[in-house]
Amino acid sequence: MKQKILEKKPQIFEYSIIVNNQISFYNIFILILANDQMLINFRNVNKQKKIEFELAEEKNTLKNIIELNPYAIEIKDAEGRHVSANKAFIDMFKSVAPPEYSIFTDPHLKKRGLIDKILKLKEGKVVKMGEHWYDVSDSAREAGLNLEDYPSSPICHKAVAFPIFDSEGKIKNYVFMHEDITDRRLAEKKLRESEERFRSLVETTSDWIWEVDANNVFTYSSPNIRDLLGYEPEEIIGKSPLELMPLNEAKRVENLFQSILESDKSFKIFENTNFHKDGSLVVVETSGVPIFDDKGNPLGYRGINRDITNRKNSEQKLKESEEMYRNLFNSTPYAIWLVDLRGNILDCNETMNNFMSVFKHTDLIGKPFRDVLKMFLREGDPRFENLEKVLKERFKILLKQGYLKPIEFEISRGDGKTFWITLESSFVNIGKERRIQTFIKDITERKLAEIELEKLRKALEVRIKERTIKLEDSENKYRMAYNRAKCFKGLFTHDISNMFQTISNSLELCSPLLEDGIKPDEFLEYFDLIEQQINRGKKLINNIRNLSEMEESEMRLVPTEIFENLQNAIRFTLANFPKREIKTKIEPNDEVIYVLANELLLDVFENIFMNSIIYNKNEKIQIEVLISEFIENGTKFVRMEFKDNGIGIEDNKKDKIFQEITQQIKLSKRMGLGLSMVAKLIDLCDGKIWVEDRIKGDFSKGSNFIIQIPAAF
């Protein structure tokens, strides 16, 4: 201050003075006169300072309002150039326009059709520019900036602009306010997508979606009610769900639902019956959840109905089927047990009560079958030990081969009454579980009759044994001869005729050779053919006898060793073809294997060996027999493959060679009677036979006859 005063120029200083504990502001005017005197003037400026303070406070408040405003605010001058912007604007747009940029000449706004709106600002009007999407990366790309510094971040904003006038009414500035509505629009988009998904779900699902109000009246129905009940959605609006039900069903549902509706609780899978529009009944499963307003007041229910009519009908049919099965199960004259693989009885029918005097059939369920057997035998009965031993052995056989032939034995119940029964068992699959079903038949009357008849038979046997035997032998021989002649007359005549025709043709071919002076050695082939046909005729006679036995009676299958039969068949075949070079091989050849068959197994092998030689044009005939064992569906099988290097069998004839005799005769060229007999015998043994190419895909390289027969052990 002193320095300024010494300058001898008029000076004005501002001072604040505390007077009566209040601050007062003064302007001090100091002027140095010519005689070095000072003129000092004090003027109180409290009012002026108050106005300045208030203006500064208002300016600061306005600045805070702009800076802290959630809206992005930009102030431009009268030429449309950037002046200032708040933080929200920088956060939204990441930058501000350069000084030379004017919004009134923006080519992008002109391109988007907004420039005409913005020009209305110059007319002093407020301009609403609507909603627009903006991405800073687009602006950076247009400006040639590094896009890595401006990653894509699309925003949706709604803008409004208005002018600010000075004291003379001229436009001083323009204010642009931008509201970021990105979250709102994205939320609305998600809501629309959600609504669309819900609508698609509602319209495509086979279930019916509905809503009822607090009075249990429909306020919404999805279109699927058309398929479910035949109504249009608008037809049921304003109706109660109870109106769609039969009267008794409506009363039942109303009583059950009253407490649920009062408690505002959700419910699941409630079965009820509704009327279809055509009058038929539809069974549905209903689930629902309560609907509340913002204050938690119940508004009604929203739920879903699913058509379960077909399922209920299936359940009813299953129930009826189970009842029918149970009735059949209990009414059959056989007592039936269902046993697990540990020997525990899982179920048995009411017929079992006929064999018990103290217990009921339900008392057996859950007990081991051995304990049940004890219930039918007196204490100390020696038969039990033998019977249990027999049953143990039979159980092992059952596990091995899957079934047991009936066994007869005598049992006693609690009141001393005895029964003769047959017990037969086999495996049965129930679902994924394997069980044993046992059938028990009361044969007491038959057994007593057999015992009585046996006594009579023995009494008569002594007197008429010799005469009866003679008569029976004579009658059996006559019947067998008659039946064979009747059944195979045509077949035998046909095959023998073919053989004679072949012999005749061979002789006719030999005549011109002799006339031409051909050496005898050159037509010995035809004599070999004649000899083969004669041997074949002998074999045919034997085959017809065997086939006749198969047609006339059921042959009993017994354990039959295969290697001995194979060796015998080979010896027979070699004897019939002494001039052919034949090499046979059996692998393995050092085991003993039994199958369920009989003495005709030898005929099977002979037929296959004979065919392998007859239909073989090679100088060296090779026959290889491969033997293996395998298990299929719990049953052990023996597999025998007969591989030869003969002429082979075309694919279209592979099945025909095993056809019935009446069909096989029609074939111009067939493998003879033998393969028909072979196929029939193998079938009676529960086996299979088929033929394949020895070399897959080339039948001319020989055949592979494959036989599969159940093993005996």
Side-chain angles (χ1 to χ4, degrees):
M1 180 185 293
K2 182 178 179 181
Q3 185 66 31
K4 287 185 177 291
I5 293 173
L6 292 176
E7 291 177 359
K8 295 183 180 182
K9 294 180 181 180
Q11 301 288 339
I12 298 176
F13 301 98
E14 184 179 292
Y15 276 90
S16 59
I17 303 173
I18 298 176
V19 179
N20 296 329
N21 295 324
Q22 291 185 350
I23 298 177
S24 293
F25 295 91
Y26 292 90
N27 280 344
I28 303 175
F29 177 76
I30 300 176
L31 177 63
I32 302 299
L33 300 176
N35 54 3
D36 291 330
Q37 292 182 339
M38 287 189 302
L39 175 64
I40 300 174
N41 182 32
F42 290 86
R43 185 167 64 91
N44 189 296
V45 292
N46 283 341
K47 290 182 180 182
Q48 180 181 342
K49 293 301 292 184
K50 182 179 180 182
I51 292 172
E52 290 178 358
F53 286 144
E54 288 176 352
L55 287 174
E57 186 175 350
E58 288 179 3
K59 183 178 181 180
N60 187 59
T61 300
L62 180 60
K63 181 179 179 181
N64 288 334
I65 290 174
I66 294 174
E67 187 64 27
L68 301 177
N69 199 302
Y71 288 88
I73 300 175
E74 181 187 23
I75 299 175
K76 294 182 179 292
D77 62 17
E79 301 301 325
R81 288 186 287 269
H82 172 77
V83 175
S84 64
N86 66 351
K87 183 177 182 300
F89 184 91
I90 301 301
D91 292 340
M92 181 181 296
F93 297 103
K94 310 303 180 186
S95 65
V96 296
E100 67 274 9
Y101 166 82
S102 172
I103 196 170
F104 296 120
T105 59
D106 189 332
H108 301 293
L109 294 178
K110 186 176 182 180
K111 185 177 179 180
R112 293 166 64 182
L114 296 175
I115 199 69
D116 291 337
K117 277 189 176 183
I118 293 176
L119 288 174
K120 292 183 180 297
L121 288 171
K122 292 186 175 183
E123 300 175 9
K125 296 180 179 180
V126 176
V127 176
K128 295 181 179 179
M129 291 179 287
E131 298 179 6
H132 302 280
W133 281 92
Y134 170 78
D135 193 337
V136 65
S137 64
D138 294 338
S139 298
R141 186 180 297 106
E142 293 172 358
L145 301 177
N146 186 357
L147 295 182
E148 293 183 359
D149 297 333
Y150 299 91
S152 177
S153 178
I155 59 171
C156 183
H157 64 100
K158 185 167 63 174
V160 61
F162 54 88
I164 297 177
F165 301 93
D166 61 13
S167 58
E168 297 178 357
K170 295 181 180 180
I171 296 176
K172 180 181 179 182
N173 295 98
Y174 298 102
V175 177
F176 289 80
M177 300 181 67
H178 304 265
E179 180 185 3
D180 187 350
I181 58 173
T182 306
D183 293 341
R184 185 197 312 170
R185 290 296 174 259
L186 292 177
E188 290 173 353
K189 181 181 178 183
K190 290 181 180 179
L191 179 60
R192 286 194 302 272
E193 292 173 350
S194 177
E195 289 175 347
E196 183 62 28
R197 285 195 299 270
F198 175 75
R199 186 180 299 107
S200 299
L201 177 64
V202 168
E203 292 178 355
T204 57
T205 181
S206 59
D207 298 331
W208 169 35
I209 300 173
W210 49 263
E211 288 184 6
V212 295
D213 60 16
N215 296 319
N216 199 27
V217 171
F218 285 115
T219 57
Y220 169 77
S221 170
S222 69
N224 303 88
I225 191 175
R226 298 189 191 102
D227 298 328
L228 189 66
L229 297 179
Y231 294 98
E232 292 298 324
E234 58 270 13
E235 289 185 79
I236 68 162
I237 301 301
K239 291 185 178 182
S240 168
L242 302 177
E243 296 181 54
L244 304 179
M245 301 178 185
L247 183 59
N248 291 337
E249 179 73 350
K251 290 181 179 180
R252 181 185 74 87
V253 172
E254 185 176 22
N255 292 334
L256 291 173
F257 262 75
Q258 191 62 37
S259 59
I260 295 177
L261 296 175
E262 291 176 354
S263 62
D264 298 324
K265 293 181 179 179
S266 61
F267 59 92
K268 294 181 179 179
I269 312 179
F270 176 77
E271 292 186 9
N272 56 96
T273 303
N274 290 249
F275 275 126
H276 193 277
K277 192 174 182 179
D278 63 10
S280 60
L281 294 178
V282 179
V283 183
V284 300
E285 274 183 352
T286 302
S287 300
V289 294
I291 307 172
F292 301 95
D293 62 14
D294 296 339
K295 296 181 180 179
N297 298 316
L299 298 177
Y301 272 80
R302 179 182 297 116
I304 185 171
N305 280 21
R306 176 168 296 169
D307 187 355
I308 60 169
T309 306
N310 291 336
R311 191 188 81 192
K312 295 300 290 185
N313 290 338
S314 298
E315 290 175 355
Q316 181 62 29
K317 289 180 181 179
L318 178 61
K319 182 179 179 182
E320 293 172 356
S321 176
E322 290 175 347
E323 290 177 354
M324 181 177 67
Y325 159 76
R326 181 57 61 178
N327 290 334
L328 291 173
F329 185 62
N330 288 323
S331 61
T332 178
Y334 289 87
I336 303 174
W337 294 357
L338 190 63
V339 185
D340 64 22
L341 297 183
R342 287 187 287 239
N344 298 317
I345 298 176
L346 302 176
D347 197 4
C348 64
N349 63 351
E350 294 178 358
T351 308
M352 193 64 201
N353 292 333
N354 298 334
F355 300 104
M356 297 184 293
S357 59
V358 178
F359 299 98
K360 296 294 182 183
H361 72 287
T362 52
D363 297 324
L364 307 185
I365 297 175
K367 290 184 171 58
F369 79 95
R370 291 183 178 84
D371 292 347
V372 172
L373 288 176
K374 295 178 183 179
M375 298 167 56
F376 296 96
L377 298 167
R378 298 186 184 90
E379 185 177 355
D381 191 333
R383 291 178 302 132
F384 174 72
E385 295 298 328
N386 293 332
L387 181 61
E388 185 178 35
K389 182 178 179 181
V390 170
L391 291 176
K392 285 181 179 179
E393 293 299 323
R394 285 175 62 83
F395 189 72
K396 292 179 181 178
I397 297 174
L398 174 63
L399 292 175
K400 186 175 182 180
Q401 66 184 28
Y403 68 94
L404 286 175
K405 294 182 178 180
I407 181 175
E408 297 180 358
F409 56 90
E410 188 179 15
I411 63 172
S412 300
R413 70 183 189 187
D415 60 1
K417 186 175 180 179
T418 59
F419 295 88
W420 275 94
I421 65 170
T422 60
L423 189 144
E424 183 177 359
S425 299
S426 63
F427 281 119
V428 60
N429 292 324
I430 301 179
K432 296 182 179 180
E433 300 292 333
R434 201 178 194 197
R435 304 298 188 205
I436 302 170
Q437 56 182 2
T438 300
F439 296 90
I440 303 171
K441 184 180 180 181
D442 184 357
I443 59 169
T444 304
E445 291 184 5
R446 192 199 80 193
K447 199 66 179 177
L448 293 177
E450 288 176 355
I451 293 173
E452 187 63 27
L453 287 173
E454 180 65 17
K455 292 179 181 178
L456 294 174
R457 187 191 65 78
K458 287 182 178 179
L460 293 173
E461 186 180 35
V462 176
R463 298 163 54 188
I464 61 173
K465 182 176 182 180
E466 292 182 0
R467 182 179 178 183
T468 302
I469 292 175
K470 291 180 180 180
L471 291 174
E472 286 179 350
D473 288 344
S474 177
E475 182 181 0
N476 288 337
K477 290 178 181 179
Y478 170 76
R479 183 183 295 112
M480 290 174 64
Y482 175 79
N483 288 338
R484 289 173 189 152
K486 181 180 178 181
C487 185
F488 298 105
K489 176 182 177 182
L491 178 62
F492 182 77
T493 301
H494 181 274
D495 278 10
I496 289 296
S497 176
N498 285 345
M499 294 175 190
F500 286 159
Q501 184 63 45
T502 302
I503 293 172
S504 176
N505 292 340
S506 298
L507 292 174
E508 289 179 4
L509 291 172
C510 288
S511 296
L513 293 176
L514 290 172
E515 293 175 358
D516 295 339
I518 301 300
K519 295 180 180 181
D521 292 342
E522 296 184 12
F523 53 82
L524 285 178
E525 176 184 355
Y526 297 105
F527 288 124
D528 290 340
L529 180 60
I530 293 171
E531 184 180 3
Q532 290 176 13
Q533 292 301 315
I534 293 172
N535 290 333
R536 187 178 178 191
K538 294 177 182 179
K539 188 61 182 177
L540 176 62
I541 294 172
N542 187 52
N543 284 344
I544 289 177
R545 171 183 59 78
N546 292 333
L547 185 57
S548 175
E549 291 178 1
M550 292 165 59
E551 294 288 344
E552 295 299 326
S553 63
E554 285 289 334
M555 294 187 299
R556 191 168 68 93
L557 303 179
V558 297
T560 304
E561 210 283 316
I562 62 173
F563 287 102
E564 181 180 354
N565 282 280
L566 285 170
Q567 295 294 346
N568 290 336
I570 292 173
R571 282 193 293 271
F572 173 82
T573 304
L574 296 177
N576 276 274
F577 299 93
K579 297 181 179 181
R580 302 292 298 270
E581 184 177 349
I582 303 171
K583 182 179 180 181
T584 62
K585 181 181 179 182
I586 302 175
E587 290 187 358
N589 58 7
D590 57 349
E591 296 186 18
V592 178
I593 300 177
Y594 286 86
V595 296
L596 289 175
N598 55 29
E599 65 275 5
L600 292 179
L601 185 63
L602 176 60
D603 293 270
V604 172
F605 295 159
E606 288 178 356
N607 272 284
I608 294 177
F609 282 129
M610 294 285 283
N611 281 321
S612 297
I613 297 171
I614 292 171
Y615 299 97
N616 197 317
K617 297 181 179 180
N618 295 303
E619 292 183 2
K620 295 182 180 180
I621 298 174
Q622 297 180 352
I623 304 174
E624 182 181 13
V625 183
L626 303 180
I627 303 172
S628 59
E629 295 177 281
F630 68 96
I631 295 177
E632 183 179 274
N633 297 327
T635 301
K636 185 177 180 182
F637 287 89
V638 176
R639 178 186 175 104
M640 292 165 277
E641 300 183 43
F642 296 78
K643 298 184 176 182
D644 63 54
N645 62 339
I647 63 174
I649 302 171
E650 298 177 20
D651 290 342
N652 60 354
K653 295 180 180 179
K654 283 185 170 63
D655 293 329
K656 295 179 181 179
I657 62 174
F658 300 110
Q659 289 178 352
E660 293 292 333
I661 298 301
T662 55
Q663 296 175 326
Q664 201 182 74
I665 289 175
K666 299 176 183 178
L667 299 175
S668 59
K669 293 182 179 180
R670 58 186 181 87
M671 300 301 289
L673 175 62
L675 290 180
S676 172
M677 182 187 72
V678 167
K680 191 169 184 66
L681 175 60
I682 295 301
D683 184 63
L684 291 175
C685 295
D686 293 329
K688 300 177 183 177
I689 182 170
W690 67 96
V691 64
E692 299 177 354
D693 297 331
R694 183 173 68 89
I695 297 178
K696 188 173 181 181
D698 188 353
F699 78 91
S700 64
K701 299 298 183 181
S703 302
N704 180 17
F705 282 84
I706 303 172
I707 297 176
Q708 181 176 306
I709 304 178
F713 305 107

